[in-house]
């Protein structure tokens, strides 16, 4: 043991015997190697993804200046897409119009004479009154897209209508649209042909202004809406000054008066459950209900609704325009009219409705909490849609322009029909 | 182990028992590693890995939902599913298909000159002619040409569509005064649409889901009176209490009129109570098929079909209603040539004064 000369074959003093004897088992190496390979694969994948993203970014950056350079020349392809999304449900894919209902845009004398500028005004403000196009008479109740489309989008779609659907040479740029918005952005819809005549020179004969009174009805109703009464709080405190609603509080502006009246009666009777509205409705007289319903039906307000439920807009558009018959759901527009403007008295407008409200109501119909639709039509549809579908269609509807308001003259004709019908409800 | 002593290295030529082992271990380790990678990627690819690991929850639940949806209606499991609209090709053929689809969905606009009423093909052939038991066009296309008793000759698909324009679309009241002439693009585009939709179905065989489906005979003779009540309860909300349909704020027809001057004429298939009853039973109210009982469907069909409507266009010149009954209507289950509330059904709205068809003459009739 006192051997001073260390055996060269012996390990040095720091040696710990188990290192040499207990070798690392091979499966551990296997796992290490597998992890290493996985790591390399991940690295390669990430770097490819980054490269692709970089490339896309640089390309986008390259396009940005050209886009800016083209500010004066709006993107007509984008205009065509916008047209298909916003206009085609009424005016047709090629702007051919619908006989007796929606005027043609292709070969339209109004578009020809007014060009992209007049189209911009019409798109931004909408139309509320009779007009003549190519000698044919139309009701001319077109929603205003000012709150739904940006200046760039309006310039694109108006330019497409003027140059793509017709052979006008002049387009309109986004700054020009912005200038028009400064002046006319908050104005009421154009008063039919009479309103157009003020915009476009040498327009062929147009029907005279119907001078349809719109907006607030009697002072009493206006007060009820904005201040409420002793027992009833103001409608506007929840539904907004312009009846535009918010989140789960519905938009009321532009809904058919008979529909609104029926809902208020249903809240009163408890056939549509809602604690707040039951309280409010019980404080209203039948006369007040009629007046309030008329007030909101003739009201036009910009859309305050935006898609907010992360719904799949493509699926929503499919449900709204075509339906999904594999689950027994017809297109929303089959009953609620083209572009969801509604069909009075029983089918309310659903365009520009608050998405959270729509999705909530669909779920309530599905669950049976709401059960006051005619024939129970909405119960089956609510049940057939799954949660993702309900969010998809609610978000899509929120992306549409608000439905046009009903004019007073039409309302008067309908007033006698306001249903306080028992038995029809289920 | 930096301080390896030279003597650690086994002398050349000598066999070290551990050397073979090390190589074996290395092979095992590398092989095992590769095997793990392959196994792992297989697990992920075949969806066997737990979802919390791969983050695939969303996809999976969607796939399940889709599977549930398609499998939910087991009764209709064997029905043909036509291709989705989004798969119409982006070429010249596809353009024709799209034009056909547009005509089908809004006939009064896209074939304006040949439509004499407020109807579109898709009013009865639901879901753009795709819905089974709603006379889907994918079921009709493969069985033409065929012999038809209606005109006692072999009909091509073009002949058949011409018939639809003549009767269901009341072409006699249209701007052109008749159906599209033979060879018209209207037929070409509609047939392109039907042909495209029927892809994969055998020709000459009537597929399951064709026509309006079968309906049992009613226990009691169909009654207009009972039908009126069924109508008020289940149909009036959409088609109007007067059956004249409803339009939106711009005057666009949203719900089609069921009788009167703007509906189908006395030669259309839908004027037969049995055809209307089968359609109603399997398709109405919209989204609630089979809601009505067999008896209710027959009753309400009788009510709808016992109102005045435009003339049978074959009834021209000296042909009286009685002649027409003997010639064309004697074996129909309908009200043509019969008296309803003291009024003869048949001479409804002749084409000459179609435009000025008096509304008061029509009244509600029930």
């Amino acid at each position: 043991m006192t051997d001073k000369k260390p055996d060269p074959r012996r390990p040095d003093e720091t040696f710990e015997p188990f290192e040499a004897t207990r070798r690392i088992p091979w499966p551990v190496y296997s796992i290490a190697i597998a992890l290493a390979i996985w790591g390399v694969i991940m690295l390669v994948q990430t770097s490819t993804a980054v490269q692709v993203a970089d490339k896309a970014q640089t390309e986008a950056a390259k396009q940005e200046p050209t886009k800016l350079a083209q500010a004066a020349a709006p993107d007509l392809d984008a205009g065509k897409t916008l047209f298909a999304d916003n206009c085609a449900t009424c005016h047709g894919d090629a702007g051919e119009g619908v006989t007796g209902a929606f005027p043609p845009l292709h070969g339209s004398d109004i578009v020809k004479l007014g060009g992209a500028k007049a189209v911009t005004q019409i798109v931004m403000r909408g139309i509320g009154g009779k007009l003549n196009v190519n000698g044919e008479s139309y009701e001319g109740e077109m929603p205003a897209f000012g709150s739904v489309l940006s200046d760039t989008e309006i310039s694109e779609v108006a330019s497409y209508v003027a140059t793509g659907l017709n052979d006008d040479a002049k387009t309109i740029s986004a700054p020009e649209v912005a200038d028009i918005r400064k002046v006319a952005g908050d104005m009421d819809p154009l008063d039919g042909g009479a309103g157009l005549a003020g915009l476009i020179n040498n327009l062929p004969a147009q029907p005279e202004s119907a001078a349809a009174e719109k907006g607030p009805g009697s002072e009493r109703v206006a007060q009820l809406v904005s201040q409420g009464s002793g027992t009833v709080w103001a409608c506007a405190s929840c539904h907004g000054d312009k009846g535009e609603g918010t989140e789960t509080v519905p938009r009321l502006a532009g809904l058919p008066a008979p529909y609104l009246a029926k809902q208020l009666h249903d809240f009163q009777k408890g056939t549509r459950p809602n604690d707040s509205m039951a309280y409010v409705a019980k404080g209203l007289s039948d006369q007040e209900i009629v007046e309030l319903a008329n007030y909101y039906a003739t009201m036009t307000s910009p859309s305050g609704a935006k898609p907010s439920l992360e719904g799949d807009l493509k699926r929503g558009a499919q449900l709204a325009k075509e339906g999904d018959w594999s689950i027994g759901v017809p297109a929303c527009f089959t009953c609620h009219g083209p572009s969801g403007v509604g069909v009075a008295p029983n089918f309310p407008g659903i365009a520009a409705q608050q998405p959270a409200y729509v999705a909530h109501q669909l779920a309530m119909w599905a669950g049976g909490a709401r059960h006051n639709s005619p024939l129970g039509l909405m119960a089956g549809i609510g049940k057939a849609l799954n949660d993702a579908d309900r969010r998809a269609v609610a978000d899509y509807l929120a992306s549409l322009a608000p439905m046009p308001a009903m004019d007073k003259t039409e309302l008067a004709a309908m007033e006698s029909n306001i249903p306080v019908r028992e038995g029809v409800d289920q | 182990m930096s301080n390896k002593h030279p003597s650690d290295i086994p002398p050349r030529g000598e066999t070290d028992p551990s050397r073979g082992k090390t190589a074996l271990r290395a092979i095992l380790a590398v092989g095992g590693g590769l095997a793990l990678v392959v196994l792992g990627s297989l697990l992920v690819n075949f969806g066997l890995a737990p979802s919390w690991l791969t983050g695939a929850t969303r996809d999976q639940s969607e796939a399940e939902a889709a599977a549930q949806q398609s499998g939910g209606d087991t009764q209709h499991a064997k029905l043909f599913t036509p291709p989705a609209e989004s798969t119409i090709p982006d070429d010249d053929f596809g353009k024709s298909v799209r034009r056909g689809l547009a005509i089908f969905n809004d006939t009064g606009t896209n074939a304006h000159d040949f439509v004499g009423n407020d109807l579109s093909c898709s009013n009865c052939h639901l879901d753009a002619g795709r819905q089974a038991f709603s006379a889907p066009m994918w079921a009709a296309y493969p069985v033409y040409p065929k012999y038809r008793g209606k005109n006692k000759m072999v009909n091509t698909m073009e002949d058949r569509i011409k018939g639809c324009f003549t009767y269901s679309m009341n072409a006699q009241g249209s701007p052109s005064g008749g159906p599209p002439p033979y060879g018209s693009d209207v037929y070409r585009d509609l047939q392109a649409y039907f042909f495209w939709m029927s892809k994969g179905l055998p020709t000459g065989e009537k597929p399951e889901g064709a026509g309006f489906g079968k309906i049992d005979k009613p226990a009691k003779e169909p009654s207009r009176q009972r039908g009126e009540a069924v109508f008020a309860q289940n149909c009036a909300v959409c088609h109007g209490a007067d059956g004249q349909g409803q339009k939106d704020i711009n005057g666009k027809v949203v719900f089609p009129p069921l009788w009167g001057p703007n509906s189908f004429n006395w030669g259309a298939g839908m004027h037969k109570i049995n055809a209307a009853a089968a359609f109603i039973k399997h398709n109405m109210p919209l989204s609630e098929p089979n809601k009505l009982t067999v008896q209710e469907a027959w009753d309400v069909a009788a009510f709808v079909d016992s109102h005045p409507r435009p003339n049978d266009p074959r009834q021209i010149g000296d042909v009286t209603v009685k002649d027409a009954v003997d010639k064309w209507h004697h074996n129909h289950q309908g009200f043509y040539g019969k008296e309803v509330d003291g009024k003869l059904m048949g001479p409804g709205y002749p084409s000459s004064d179609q435009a000025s068809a008096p509304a008061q003459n029509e009244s509600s009739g029930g």
Side-chain angles (χ1 to χ4, degrees):
Chain A
M1 285 299 185
T2 54
D3 191 358
K4 274 168 195 169
K5 194 182 169 194
D7 183 344
R9 299 186 59 175
R10 276 194 164 178
D12 64 358
E13 282 171 344
T14 57
F15 173 75
E16 295 192 48
F18 54 83
E19 276 188 17
T21 51
R22 295 204 185 162
R23 306 173 79 174
I24 298 167
W26 68 263
V28 176
Y29 283 113
S30 291
I31 291 169
I33 290 168
L35 282 173
I37 294 173
W38 178 73
V40 169
I41 291 172
M42 281 294 135
L43 269 177
V44 171
Q45 276 184 353
T46 315
S47 75
T48 333
V50 167
Q51 271 172 4
V52 169
D54 278 352
K55 207 174 159 194
Q57 206 170 22
T58 47
E59 261 172 32
K62 251 190 256 166
Q63 274 176 354
E64 203 56 37
T66 48
K67 249 191 187 169
L68 282 175
Q70 286 170 344
D75 184 350
L76 291 182
D77 284 337
K80 190 177 181 180
T81 312
L82 282 165
F83 186 88
D85 290 345
N86 294 282
C87 319
T89 42
C90 292
H91 291 287
D93 289 326
E96 69 275 17
V98 170
T99 314
F102 306 112
L105 302 180
H106 167 74
S108 149
D109 53 5
I110 288 183
V111 178
K112 259 181 203 149
L113 290 164
K117 270 197 173 161
V119 176
T120 296
Q121 288 262 3
I122 295 171
V123 170
M124 191 179 290
R125 290 171 61 185
I127 295 183
K130 284 189 182 1
L131 77 163
N132 291 340
V133 179
N134 297 351
E136 298 243 6
S137 173
Y138 295 91
E139 287 300 325
E141 297 294 343
M142 170 171 162
F145 286 82
S147 57
V148 177
L149 299 179
S150 70
D151 291 343
T152 312
E153 287 170 325
I154 292 181
S155 83
E156 285 164 350
V157 76
S159 300
Y160 172 71
V161 169
T163 65
L165 286 181
N166 293 283
D167 44 15
D168 199 333
K170 272 194 193 153
T171 59
I172 188 163
S173 69
E176 286 175 284
V177 173
D179 288 343
I180 293 177
R181 194 191 284 274
K182 265 179 222 156
V183 180
D186 290 334
M187 285 183 172
D188 280 341
L190 287 156
D191 185 11
L196 285 170
L199 281 182
I200 307 168
N201 293 330
N202 305 321
L203 205 61
Q206 291 290 331
E208 291 206 10
S209 163
E213 272 179 65
K214 285 192 173 173
S218 68
E219 252 176 56
R220 199 159 62 93
V221 176
Q223 197 187 357
L224 203 56
V225 168
S226 60
Q227 288 156 35
S229 70
T231 50
V232 175
W233 56 81
C235 310
S237 62
C238 293
H239 291 277
D241 290 339
K242 293 173 175 172
E244 73 277 13
T246 173
E247 304 210 343
T248 54
V249 179
R251 171 191 184 82
L252 301 180
L255 294 181
Y259 171 80
L260 289 175
K262 176 184 187 295
Q263 302 308 310
L264 284 168
H265 285 298
D266 286 357
F267 286 128
Q268 261 182 351
K269 288 183 286 185
T271 44
R272 180 174 172 183
N274 180 309
D275 290 342
S276 313
M277 284 310 298
Y279 176 74
V280 171
K282 279 174 188 156
L284 294 170
S285 69
D286 283 0
Q287 181 59 28
E288 282 172 330
I289 285 181
V290 169
E291 285 175 8
L292 278 172
N294 290 349
Y295 173 84
Y296 280 112
T298 52
M299 191 176 204
T300 130
S301 77
S303 171
K306 292 275 173 301
S308 61
L309 307 175
E310 294 178 1
D312 177 354
L313 290 181
K314 229 176 139 189
R315 169 72 174 161
Q318 186 208 351
L319 287 169
K321 294 183 200 172
E322 298 160 25
D324 183 348
W325 292 76
S326 71
I327 53 172
V329 174
C332 307
F333 294 174
T334 306
C335 294
H336 291 274
S339 291
V341 296
V343 182
N346 285 310
F347 298 88
I350 49 178
Q353 188 53 276
Q354 299 292 342
Y357 171 75
V358 173
H360 183 220
Q361 296 302 309
L362 285 169
M364 297 238 292
W365 272 305
R370 186 172 174 187
H371 45 75
N372 71 336
S373 73
L375 307 179
L377 284 170
M378 287 309 299
I381 288 165
K383 277 189 195 112
L385 300 175
N386 63 26
D387 178 61
D389 283 343
R390 291 195 282 260
R391 286 186 290 115
V393 76
D395 266 354
Y396 173 73
L397 294 174
S399 74
L400 301 177
M403 49 272 183
M406 185 168 285
D407 38 85
K408 287 255 160 149
T409 42
E410 217 167 305
L411 199 64
M414 196 175 276
E415 230 162 87
S416 52
N417 292 333
I418 289 186
V420 192
R421 287 181 289 181
E422 318 279 330
V424 174
D425 323 331
Q426 294 194 349
Chain B
M1 252 152 271
S2 54
N3 49 356
K4 255 186 186 171
H5 195 273
S7 58
D8 275 351
I9 305 161
R12 196 183 279 248
E14 269 180 49
T15 50
D16 175 8
S18 75
R19 191 183 165 96
K21 257 191 189 165
T22 310
L24 182 68
R25 286 164 51 83
I27 290 166
L28 276 174
V30 171
L34 286 173
L36 270 178
V37 169
V38 171
L39 197 70
S41 57
L42 279 178
L43 278 177
V44 171
N45 279 347
F46 286 103
L48 296 171
S51 54
W52 54 263
L53 193 65
T54 56
T57 26
R58 206 181 139 71
D59 286 354
Q60 236 173 5
S61 66
E62 270 172 15
E64 270 167 30
Q68 269 176 3
Q69 273 177 14
S70 59
D73 205 348
T74 43
Q75 189 203 335
H76 291 173
K78 60 187 167 178
L79 290 176
F80 175 71
T81 306
E85 209 184 298
S86 56
T87 63
I88 298 175
D90 267 330
D91 52 17
D92 284 345
F93 173 68
K95 277 183 194 160
S96 180
V97 171
R98 282 180 204 283
R99 284 196 299 269
L101 174 62
I103 293 170
F104 203 84
N105 279 336
D106 193 345
T107 321
T109 297
N110 298 306
H112 175 251
D113 287 353
F114 314 110
V115 176
N117 58 24
D118 279 351
L119 306 187
S120 282
C121 309
S122 57
N123 287 147
C124 296
H125 308 274
L126 299 179
D127 190 16
R130 302 158 53 92
Q131 176 78 335
F133 303 112
S134 178
M137 300 329 295
W138 46 260
Y141 189 85
V143 296
Y144 279 87
K146 79 170 185 187
Y147 178 84
R148 293 189 77 223
K150 182 160 182 167
N151 50 16
K152 297 189 177 55
M153 58 187 229
V154 173
N155 287 209
T156 62
M157 182 44 91
E158 184 170 278
D159 292 325
R160 182 68 188 83
I161 304 172
K162 192 177 184 208
C164 288
F165 273 98
T166 307
Y167 305 110
S168 298
M169 311 311 296
N170 192 34
Q172 58 174 336
S174 72
S176 75
Y182 280 115
S184 162
D185 281 349
V186 171
Y187 298 130
R188 206 181 302 278
D189 293 335
L190 281 170
Q191 288 183 87
Y193 175 50
F194 302 165
F195 164 77
W196 167 80
M197 197 195 296
S198 317
K199 189 179 174 183
L201 277 170
T203 55
E205 283 175 35
K206 197 172 162 186
E208 178 73 20
F212 295 124
K214 284 204 176 100
I215 181 168
D216 295 336
K217 291 256 179 305
K220 290 181 251 176
E221 190 70 9
S223 145
R224 295 179 53 244
Q225 281 70 32
R226 283 196 307 267
E228 185 176 10
V230 176
F231 186 89
Q233 192 94 56
N234 296 283
C235 320
V237 159
C238 294
H239 293 286
D242 56 0
Q244 297 309 292
Q246 289 191 77
K247 296 177 176 182
D248 80 346
I249 194 170
N250 281 299
K252 151 114 184 153
V253 179
V254 176
F255 299 106
L258 303 183
W259 62 81
N262 300 313
S263 192
F264 53 89
N265 66 39
W266 280 112
M270 209 49 101
H271 99 270
K272 294 183 281 180
I273 298 172
N274 49 337
F279 170 75
I280 291 165
K281 172 75 181 147
H282 293 128
N283 296 287
M284 290 287 132
L286 213 59
S287 86
E288 295 183 280
N290 294 312
K291 182 187 177 185
L292 301 182
T293 64
V294 168
Q295 186 67 50
E296 283 172 330
W298 282 93
D299 290 345
V300 78
F303 174 71
V304 167
D305 280 339
S306 61
H307 285 88
R309 52 182 69 260
N311 252 356
D312 186 328
R314 292 167 294 192
Q315 195 182 317
I316 41 175
D318 298 335
V319 181
T320 63
V321 170
K322 194 183 170 306
D323 295 339
V325 170
D326 294 342
K327 243 181 151 167
W328 301 300
H329 294 275
H330 57 278
N331 53 2
H332 286 170
Q333 300 184 47
F335 283 88
Y336 187 89
K338 293 180 185 146
E339 282 206 1
V340 174
D341 295 341
K343 204 158 64 177
L344 181 66
M345 292 289 113
Y349 309 95
S351 54
S352 52
D353 56 23
Q354 185 91 20
S356 59
Q360 70 270 21
N361 191 27
E362 185 253 325
S363 75
S364 81

